[in-house]
Amino acid sequence: MSVAESPCSSYETDQGSTSTLRPRLLPRKRKPTCFRKMVRYIAKGYLPRESDRQYYADRYRCCPPPLFIPTITLAEIGLFTYHCIDAGAISANGPIPVESVLIYRPDQRLQIWRFVSYTLIHAGWFHLFFNMLVQILVGLPLEMVHGSGRVMIVYISGVLAGSLGTSVFDTKAYLVGASGGVYSLLAAHLANIMLNYSEMEFGLLKLGAVLIIASADVGFAVWDRLLEKELLPHVSYTAHLMGSLAGLTMGLLVLKIFDQQLYRQYTWWIAFTVYAGCVSFAVCWNLIYY
């Protein structure tokens, strides 16, 4: 009597008998869940080597979950909503809460928290929308790969570089928005692509996309400043550029480098020297010329 074979089973002989067969089921491959597919997509986009991608995709469990980007995003949206309700108006370029204790103002530089807290305030829904879009699409995957602590350091370094740079190069400007931190994240991702574009999927395409998005937003900021140059207070766009510089340097310093020998190379030391030198110069400038 023949036994029908199944693609999911095999047969082995009972002990002491050569005629009796019993089925032995082979494990079936489970289809990847939506979460696992998302993790693999992020690994392909943010990690340069296939071995790193596979290791990350197999081991990532979202525990602990990314906390920094969701928290600061909700805080920024909440404060923008509050200021719109308080002003009774909303537009693409306003309201700008110039009397807020969080906004950076050149006449209030002794209140040192303003050098960081300005990132929570936004000038208009367009400003908020673009920053939140990039913050989530770029910052959240970066946090999933590199961890909340490292991404927070890169983000805050961009925010600080934005305010310090503005205090030196655009001394009369007010400063609002998360552009310093957002551009720091963008530049950190850009640095990763530039160093590993030959090993990353669609590396050149991603490089071009990041440059186009960043250039368009900086162009809009400059145009908006020039278009409304008669209006006061001036809102600076220097934070975009300074945040980008911070991201290029701090991305190399802080984010996980999967080539563990990088710290021995000159690139690491150049990045450290550039960021530390610029921050030190800006701090001394504010102490001497305030």
PDB file of all heavy atoms in Angstrom, residues 67-69 71-72 116 139 142-144 146-160 180-181 184-185 250 254-255 275:
ATOM      1  N   LEU A  67      12.142  56.944  20.723  1.00  0.00           N
ATOM      2  CA  LEU A  67      11.413  57.870  21.593  1.00  0.00           C
ATOM      3  C   LEU A  67      11.682  59.334  21.268  1.00  0.00           C
ATOM      4  O   LEU A  67      10.782  60.164  21.400  1.00  0.00           O
ATOM      5  CB  LEU A  67      11.777  57.604  23.057  1.00  0.00           C
ATOM      6  CG  LEU A  67      11.399  56.237  23.621  1.00  0.00           C
ATOM      7  CD1 LEU A  67      11.952  56.080  25.033  1.00  0.00           C
ATOM      8  CD2 LEU A  67       9.887  56.060  23.622  1.00  0.00           C
ATOM      9  N   PHE A  68      12.899  59.665  20.871  1.00  0.00           N
ATOM     10  CA  PHE A  68      13.267  61.072  20.733  1.00  0.00           C
ATOM     11  C   PHE A  68      12.500  61.770  19.618  1.00  0.00           C
ATOM     12  O   PHE A  68      11.879  62.811  19.844  1.00  0.00           O
ATOM     13  CB  PHE A  68      14.769  61.196  20.503  1.00  0.00           C
ATOM     14  CG  PHE A  68      15.201  62.614  20.243  1.00  0.00           C
ATOM     15  CD1 PHE A  68      15.186  63.549  21.262  1.00  0.00           C
ATOM     16  CD2 PHE A  68      15.584  63.021  18.970  1.00  0.00           C
ATOM     17  CE1 PHE A  68      15.561  64.872  21.027  1.00  0.00           C
ATOM     18  CE2 PHE A  68      15.959  64.331  18.728  1.00  0.00           C
ATOM     19  CZ  PHE A  68      15.951  65.257  19.761  1.00  0.00           C
ATOM     20  N   ILE A  69      12.539  61.227  18.401  1.00  0.00           N
ATOM     21  CA  ILE A  69      11.881  61.883  17.266  1.00  0.00           C
ATOM     22  C   ILE A  69      10.373  61.986  17.476  1.00  0.00           C
ATOM     23  O   ILE A  69       9.793  63.073  17.274  1.00  0.00           O
ATOM     24  CB  ILE A  69      12.203  61.150  15.950  1.00  0.00           C
ATOM     25  CG1 ILE A  69      13.692  61.301  15.608  1.00  0.00           C
ATOM     26  CG2 ILE A  69      11.345  61.685  14.803  1.00  0.00           C
ATOM     27  CD1 ILE A  69      14.142  62.714  15.369  1.00  0.00           C
ATOM     28  N   THR A  71       8.734  62.169  20.294  1.00  0.00           N
ATOM     29  CA  THR A  71       8.481  63.097  21.399  1.00  0.00           C
ATOM     30  C   THR A  71       8.659  64.546  20.965  1.00  0.00           C
ATOM     31  O   THR A  71       7.793  65.394  21.214  1.00  0.00           O
ATOM     32  CB  THR A  71       9.417  62.799  22.578  1.00  0.00           C
ATOM     33  OG1 THR A  71       9.178  61.457  23.037  1.00  0.00           O
ATOM     34  CG2 THR A  71       9.178  63.768  23.721  1.00  0.00           C
ATOM     35  N   ILE A  72       9.773  64.859  20.305  1.00  0.00           N
ATOM     36  CA  ILE A  72      10.023  66.244  19.916  1.00  0.00           C
ATOM     37  C   ILE A  72       9.077  66.683  18.804  1.00  0.00           C
ATOM     38  O   ILE A  72       8.685  67.852  18.732  1.00  0.00           O
ATOM     39  CB  ILE A  72      11.499  66.445  19.512  1.00  0.00           C
ATOM     40  CG1 ILE A  72      11.842  67.940  19.554  1.00  0.00           C
ATOM     41  CG2 ILE A  72      11.794  65.872  18.128  1.00  0.00           C
ATOM     42  CD1 ILE A  72      13.315  68.224  19.507  1.00  0.00           C
ATOM     43  N   VAL A 116      18.673  76.655  22.292  1.00  0.00           N
ATOM     44  CA  VAL A 116      18.175  75.318  21.962  1.00  0.00           C
ATOM     45  C   VAL A 116      16.654  75.291  21.843  1.00  0.00           C
ATOM     46  O   VAL A 116      16.099  74.656  20.943  1.00  0.00           O
ATOM     47  CB  VAL A 116      18.638  74.295  23.021  1.00  0.00           C
ATOM     48  CG1 VAL A 116      18.035  72.921  22.745  1.00  0.00           C
ATOM     49  CG2 VAL A 116      20.161  74.195  23.041  1.00  0.00           C
ATOM     50  N   GLY A 139      14.569  61.129  10.231  1.00  0.00           N
ATOM     51  CA  GLY A 139      14.991  60.975  11.620  1.00  0.00           C
ATOM     52  C   GLY A 139      14.537  59.692  12.273  1.00  0.00           C
ATOM     53  O   GLY A 139      15.296  59.064  13.020  1.00  0.00           O
ATOM     54  N   LEU A 142      16.627  56.714  11.116  1.00  0.00           N
ATOM     55  CA  LEU A 142      17.958  56.859  11.714  1.00  0.00           C
ATOM     56  C   LEU A 142      17.948  56.451  13.179  1.00  0.00           C
ATOM     57  O   LEU A 142      18.872  55.792  13.663  1.00  0.00           O
ATOM     58  CB  LEU A 142      18.437  58.310  11.585  1.00  0.00           C
ATOM     59  CG  LEU A 142      19.118  58.729  10.287  1.00  0.00           C
ATOM     60  CD1 LEU A 142      19.430  60.219  10.319  1.00  0.00           C
ATOM     61  CD2 LEU A 142      20.380  57.928  10.019  1.00  0.00           C
ATOM     62  N   GLU A 143      16.879  56.830  13.893  1.00  0.00           N
ATOM     63  CA  GLU A 143      16.786  56.473  15.309  1.00  0.00           C
ATOM     64  C   GLU A 143      16.598  54.977  15.488  1.00  0.00           C
ATOM     65  O   GLU A 143      17.133  54.384  16.427  1.00  0.00           O
ATOM     66  CB  GLU A 143      15.631  57.233  15.963  1.00  0.00           C
ATOM     67  CG  GLU A 143      15.563  57.039  17.469  1.00  0.00           C
ATOM     68  CD  GLU A 143      14.560  57.962  18.135  1.00  0.00           C
ATOM     69  OE1 GLU A 143      13.991  58.832  17.437  1.00  0.00           O
ATOM     70  OE2 GLU A 143      14.342  57.812  19.349  1.00  0.00           O
ATOM     71  N   MET A 144      15.857  54.343  14.585  1.00  0.00           N
ATOM     72  CA  MET A 144      15.672  52.896  14.664  1.00  0.00           C
ATOM     73  C   MET A 144      16.982  52.151  14.440  1.00  0.00           C
ATOM     74  O   MET A 144      17.217  51.096  15.038  1.00  0.00           O
ATOM     75  CB  MET A 144      14.632  52.449  13.636  1.00  0.00           C
ATOM     76  CG  MET A 144      13.214  52.910  13.946  1.00  0.00           C
ATOM     77  SD  MET A 144      12.036  52.498  12.638  1.00  0.00           S
ATOM     78  CE  MET A 144      12.050  50.695  12.723  1.00  0.00           C
ATOM     79  N   HIS A 146      20.292  53.632  14.707  1.00  0.00           N
ATOM     80  CA  HIS A 146      21.412  54.075  15.541  1.00  0.00           C
ATOM     81  C   HIS A 146      21.052  54.282  17.008  1.00  0.00           C
ATOM     82  O   HIS A 146      21.956  54.450  17.828  1.00  0.00           O
ATOM     83  CB  HIS A 146      21.984  55.374  14.978  1.00  0.00           C
ATOM     84  CG  HIS A 146      22.550  55.238  13.605  1.00  0.00           C
ATOM     85  ND1 HIS A 146      23.785  54.681  13.352  1.00  0.00           N
ATOM     86  CD2 HIS A 146      22.041  55.566  12.381  1.00  0.00           C
ATOM     87  CE1 HIS A 146      24.029  54.684  12.049  1.00  0.00           C
ATOM     88  NE2 HIS A 146      22.977  55.208  11.443  1.00  0.00           N
ATOM     89  N   GLY A 147      19.771  54.315  17.342  1.00  0.00           N
ATOM     90  CA  GLY A 147      19.379  54.498  18.728  1.00  0.00           C
ATOM     91  C   GLY A 147      19.019  55.935  19.060  1.00  0.00           C
ATOM     92  O   GLY A 147      19.488  56.882  18.415  1.00  0.00           O
ATOM     93  N   SER A 148      18.195  56.108  20.080  1.00  0.00           N
ATOM     94  CA  SER A 148      17.681  57.431  20.442  1.00  0.00           C
ATOM     95  C   SER A 148      18.786  58.373  20.912  1.00  0.00           C
ATOM     96  O   SER A 148      18.792  59.557  20.568  1.00  0.00           O
ATOM     97  CB  SER A 148      16.613  57.298  21.533  1.00  0.00           C
ATOM     98  OG  SER A 148      15.520  56.531  21.083  1.00  0.00           O
ATOM     99  N   GLY A 149      19.713  57.875  21.712  1.00  0.00           N
ATOM    100  CA  GLY A 149      20.759  58.732  22.268  1.00  0.00           C
ATOM    101  C   GLY A 149      21.640  59.351  21.203  1.00  0.00           C
ATOM    102  O   GLY A 149      21.923  60.552  21.237  1.00  0.00           O
ATOM    103  N   ARG A 150      22.067  58.554  20.239  1.00  0.00           N
ATOM    104  CA  ARG A 150      22.956  59.056  19.196  1.00  0.00           C
ATOM    105  C   ARG A 150      22.239  60.065  18.303  1.00  0.00           C
ATOM    106  O   ARG A 150      22.803  61.102  17.944  1.00  0.00           O
ATOM    107  CB  ARG A 150      23.483  57.890  18.360  1.00  0.00           C
ATOM    108  CG  ARG A 150      24.380  56.939  19.135  1.00  0.00           C
ATOM    109  CD  ARG A 150      24.736  55.713  18.299  1.00  0.00           C
ATOM    110  NE  ARG A 150      25.464  54.730  19.071  1.00  0.00           N
ATOM    111  CZ  ARG A 150      26.783  54.660  19.156  1.00  0.00           C
ATOM    112  NH1 ARG A 150      27.521  55.550  18.506  1.00  0.00           N
ATOM    113  NH2 ARG A 150      27.380  53.739  19.872  1.00  0.00           N
ATOM    114  N   VAL A 151      21.003  59.764  17.928  1.00  0.00           N
ATOM    115  CA  VAL A 151      20.244  60.683  17.074  1.00  0.00           C
ATOM    116  C   VAL A 151      19.947  61.974  17.820  1.00  0.00           C
ATOM    117  O   VAL A 151      19.982  63.062  17.224  1.00  0.00           O
ATOM    118  CB  VAL A 151      18.955  59.998  16.585  1.00  0.00           C
ATOM    119  CG1 VAL A 151      18.024  61.002  15.923  1.00  0.00           C
ATOM    120  CG2 VAL A 151      19.286  58.885  15.600  1.00  0.00           C
ATOM    121  N   MET A 152      19.669  61.900  19.103  1.00  0.00           N
ATOM    122  CA  MET A 152      19.420  63.107  19.883  1.00  0.00           C
ATOM    123  C   MET A 152      20.655  64.001  19.900  1.00  0.00           C
ATOM    124  O   MET A 152      20.545  65.235  19.769  1.00  0.00           O
ATOM    125  CB  MET A 152      19.022  62.748  21.313  1.00  0.00           C
ATOM    126  CG  MET A 152      18.723  63.967  22.184  1.00  0.00           C
ATOM    127  SD  MET A 152      18.196  63.528  23.859  1.00  0.00           S
ATOM    128  CE  MET A 152      19.719  62.825  24.500  1.00  0.00           C
ATOM    129  N   ILE A 153      21.841  63.419  20.038  1.00  0.00           N
ATOM    130  CA  ILE A 153      23.070  64.209  20.050  1.00  0.00           C
ATOM    131  C   ILE A 153      23.271  64.904  18.706  1.00  0.00           C
ATOM    132  O   ILE A 153      23.611  66.094  18.650  1.00  0.00           O
ATOM    133  CB  ILE A 153      24.280  63.310  20.385  1.00  0.00           C
ATOM    134  CG1 ILE A 153      24.195  62.831  21.833  1.00  0.00           C
ATOM    135  CG2 ILE A 153      25.587  64.059  20.151  1.00  0.00           C
ATOM    136  CD1 ILE A 153      25.258  61.821  22.212  1.00  0.00           C
ATOM    137  N   VAL A 154      23.047  64.184  17.602  1.00  0.00           N
ATOM    138  CA  VAL A 154      23.191  64.792  16.275  1.00  0.00           C
ATOM    139  C   VAL A 154      22.185  65.919  16.101  1.00  0.00           C
ATOM    140  O   VAL A 154      22.512  67.004  15.601  1.00  0.00           O
ATOM    141  CB  VAL A 154      23.009  63.727  15.175  1.00  0.00           C
ATOM    142  CG1 VAL A 154      22.979  64.377  13.794  1.00  0.00           C
ATOM    143  CG2 VAL A 154      24.132  62.706  15.232  1.00  0.00           C
ATOM    144  N   TYR A 155      20.949  65.692  16.513  1.00  0.00           N
ATOM    145  CA  TYR A 155      19.874  66.681  16.366  1.00  0.00           C
ATOM    146  C   TYR A 155      20.172  67.938  17.179  1.00  0.00           C
ATOM    147  O   TYR A 155      20.121  69.069  16.651  1.00  0.00           O
ATOM    148  CB  TYR A 155      18.557  66.054  16.806  1.00  0.00           C
ATOM    149  CG  TYR A 155      17.330  66.874  16.522  1.00  0.00           C
ATOM    150  CD1 TYR A 155      16.609  66.696  15.347  1.00  0.00           C
ATOM    151  CD2 TYR A 155      16.864  67.827  17.430  1.00  0.00           C
ATOM    152  CE1 TYR A 155      15.471  67.435  15.088  1.00  0.00           C
ATOM    153  CE2 TYR A 155      15.730  68.572  17.171  1.00  0.00           C
ATOM    154  CZ  TYR A 155      15.035  68.368  16.001  1.00  0.00           C
ATOM    155  OH  TYR A 155      13.904  69.108  15.744  1.00  0.00           O
ATOM    156  N   ILE A 156      20.505  67.773  18.456  1.00  0.00           N
ATOM    157  CA  ILE A 156      20.761  68.923  19.323  1.00  0.00           C
ATOM    158  C   ILE A 156      22.019  69.662  18.870  1.00  0.00           C
ATOM    159  O   ILE A 156      22.096  70.897  18.969  1.00  0.00           O
ATOM    160  CB  ILE A 156      20.899  68.476  20.789  1.00  0.00           C
ATOM    161  CG1 ILE A 156      19.570  67.865  21.277  1.00  0.00           C
ATOM    162  CG2 ILE A 156      21.280  69.647  21.679  1.00  0.00           C
ATOM    163  CD1 ILE A 156      18.389  68.800  21.211  1.00  0.00           C
ATOM    164  N   SER A 157      23.006  68.942  18.355  1.00  0.00           N
ATOM    165  CA  SER A 157      24.210  69.613  17.859  1.00  0.00           C
ATOM    166  C   SER A 157      23.875  70.516  16.681  1.00  0.00           C
ATOM    167  O   SER A 157      24.441  71.608  16.534  1.00  0.00           O
ATOM    168  CB  SER A 157      25.267  68.580  17.462  1.00  0.00           C
ATOM    169  OG  SER A 157      24.883  67.873  16.289  1.00  0.00           O
ATOM    170  N   GLY A 158      22.931  70.087  15.829  1.00  0.00           N
ATOM    171  CA  GLY A 158      22.490  70.928  14.722  1.00  0.00           C
ATOM    172  C   GLY A 158      21.712  72.137  15.195  1.00  0.00           C
ATOM    173  O   GLY A 158      21.867  73.246  14.660  1.00  0.00           O
ATOM    174  N   VAL A 159      20.858  71.936  16.200  1.00  0.00           N
ATOM    175  CA  VAL A 159      20.090  73.049  16.773  1.00  0.00           C
ATOM    176  C   VAL A 159      21.032  74.091  17.377  1.00  0.00           C
ATOM    177  O   VAL A 159      20.889  75.304  17.143  1.00  0.00           O
ATOM    178  CB  VAL A 159      19.108  72.522  17.844  1.00  0.00           C
ATOM    179  CG1 VAL A 159      18.457  73.683  18.589  1.00  0.00           C
ATOM    180  CG2 VAL A 159      18.044  71.642  17.206  1.00  0.00           C
ATOM    181  N   LEU A 160      22.010  73.616  18.136  1.00  0.00           N
ATOM    182  CA  LEU A 160      22.965  74.524  18.767  1.00  0.00           C
ATOM    183  C   LEU A 160      23.831  75.237  17.729  1.00  0.00           C
ATOM    184  O   LEU A 160      24.096  76.441  17.839  1.00  0.00           O
ATOM    185  CB  LEU A 160      23.837  73.745  19.752  1.00  0.00           C
ATOM    186  CG  LEU A 160      24.815  74.552  20.602  1.00  0.00           C
ATOM    187  CD1 LEU A 160      24.064  75.561  21.459  1.00  0.00           C
ATOM    188  CD2 LEU A 160      25.652  73.624  21.479  1.00  0.00           C
ATOM    189  N   GLY A 180      17.564  73.610  12.038  1.00  0.00           N
ATOM    190  CA  GLY A 180      18.921  73.244  12.416  1.00  0.00           C
ATOM    191  C   GLY A 180      19.047  71.764  12.714  1.00  0.00           C
ATOM    192  O   GLY A 180      19.950  71.089  12.216  1.00  0.00           O
ATOM    193  N   GLY A 181      18.131  71.228  13.526  1.00  0.00           N
ATOM    194  CA  GLY A 181      18.155  69.803  13.848  1.00  0.00           C
ATOM    195  C   GLY A 181      17.814  68.932  12.659  1.00  0.00           C
ATOM    196  O   GLY A 181      18.436  67.883  12.441  1.00  0.00           O
ATOM    197  N   SER A 184      20.626  68.795  10.276  1.00  0.00           N
ATOM    198  CA  SER A 184      21.690  67.989  10.858  1.00  0.00           C
ATOM    199  C   SER A 184      21.441  66.503  10.581  1.00  0.00           C
ATOM    200  O   SER A 184      22.363  65.763  10.215  1.00  0.00           O
ATOM    201  CB  SER A 184      21.770  68.250  12.359  1.00  0.00           C
ATOM    202  OG  SER A 184      22.855  67.559  12.936  1.00  0.00           O
ATOM    203  N   LEU A 185      20.187  66.069  10.735  1.00  0.00           N
ATOM    204  CA  LEU A 185      19.850  64.678  10.422  1.00  0.00           C
ATOM    205  C   LEU A 185      20.015  64.389   8.936  1.00  0.00           C
ATOM    206  O   LEU A 185      20.548  63.341   8.548  1.00  0.00           O
ATOM    207  CB  LEU A 185      18.408  64.392  10.851  1.00  0.00           C
ATOM    208  CG  LEU A 185      18.090  64.476  12.346  1.00  0.00           C
ATOM    209  CD1 LEU A 185      16.606  64.228  12.583  1.00  0.00           C
ATOM    210  CD2 LEU A 185      18.920  63.475  13.136  1.00  0.00           C
ATOM    211  N   MET A 250      29.075  65.772  13.043  1.00  0.00           N
ATOM    212  CA  MET A 250      28.621  64.945  14.160  1.00  0.00           C
ATOM    213  C   MET A 250      28.116  63.589  13.691  1.00  0.00           C
ATOM    214  O   MET A 250      28.151  62.614  14.446  1.00  0.00           O
ATOM    215  CB  MET A 250      27.517  65.671  14.928  1.00  0.00           C
ATOM    216  CG  MET A 250      27.997  66.911  15.671  1.00  0.00           C
ATOM    217  SD  MET A 250      29.301  66.557  16.883  1.00  0.00           S
ATOM    218  CE  MET A 250      28.390  65.594  18.082  1.00  0.00           C
ATOM    219  N   VAL A 254      29.332  60.545  15.909  1.00  0.00           N
ATOM    220  CA  VAL A 254      28.408  59.947  16.872  1.00  0.00           C
ATOM    221  C   VAL A 254      27.688  58.711  16.337  1.00  0.00           C
ATOM    222  O   VAL A 254      27.547  57.720  17.059  1.00  0.00           O
ATOM    223  CB  VAL A 254      27.359  60.997  17.324  1.00  0.00           C
ATOM    224  CG1 VAL A 254      26.342  60.381  18.257  1.00  0.00           C
ATOM    225  CG2 VAL A 254      28.053  62.165  18.000  1.00  0.00           C
ATOM    226  N   LEU A 255      27.215  58.766  15.091  1.00  0.00           N
ATOM    227  CA  LEU A 255      26.454  57.636  14.581  1.00  0.00           C
ATOM    228  C   LEU A 255      27.322  56.393  14.489  1.00  0.00           C
ATOM    229  O   LEU A 255      28.540  56.480  14.330  1.00  0.00           O
ATOM    230  CB  LEU A 255      25.855  57.958  13.210  1.00  0.00           C
ATOM    231  CG  LEU A 255      24.835  59.093  13.170  1.00  0.00           C
ATOM    232  CD1 LEU A 255      24.259  59.234  11.772  1.00  0.00           C
ATOM    233  CD2 LEU A 255      23.716  58.874  14.176  1.00  0.00           C
ATOM    234  N   TYR A 275      33.960  70.673  14.118  1.00  0.00           N
ATOM    235  CA  TYR A 275      32.801  71.002  14.964  1.00  0.00           C
ATOM    236  C   TYR A 275      33.231  71.689  16.249  1.00  0.00           C
ATOM    237  O   TYR A 275      32.662  72.718  16.638  1.00  0.00           O
ATOM    238  CB  TYR A 275      31.997  69.746  15.284  1.00  0.00           C
ATOM    239  CG  TYR A 275      30.722  70.069  16.036  1.00  0.00           C
ATOM    240  CD1 TYR A 275      29.599  70.517  15.352  1.00  0.00           C
ATOM    241  CD2 TYR A 275      30.644  69.939  17.422  1.00  0.00           C
ATOM    242  CE1 TYR A 275      28.434  70.845  16.026  1.00  0.00           C
ATOM    243  CE2 TYR A 275      29.488  70.262  18.107  1.00  0.00           C
ATOM    244  CZ  TYR A 275      28.380  70.709  17.400  1.00  0.00           C
ATOM    245  OH  TYR A 275      27.236  71.035  18.067  1.00  0.00           O
TER     246      TYR A 275
END
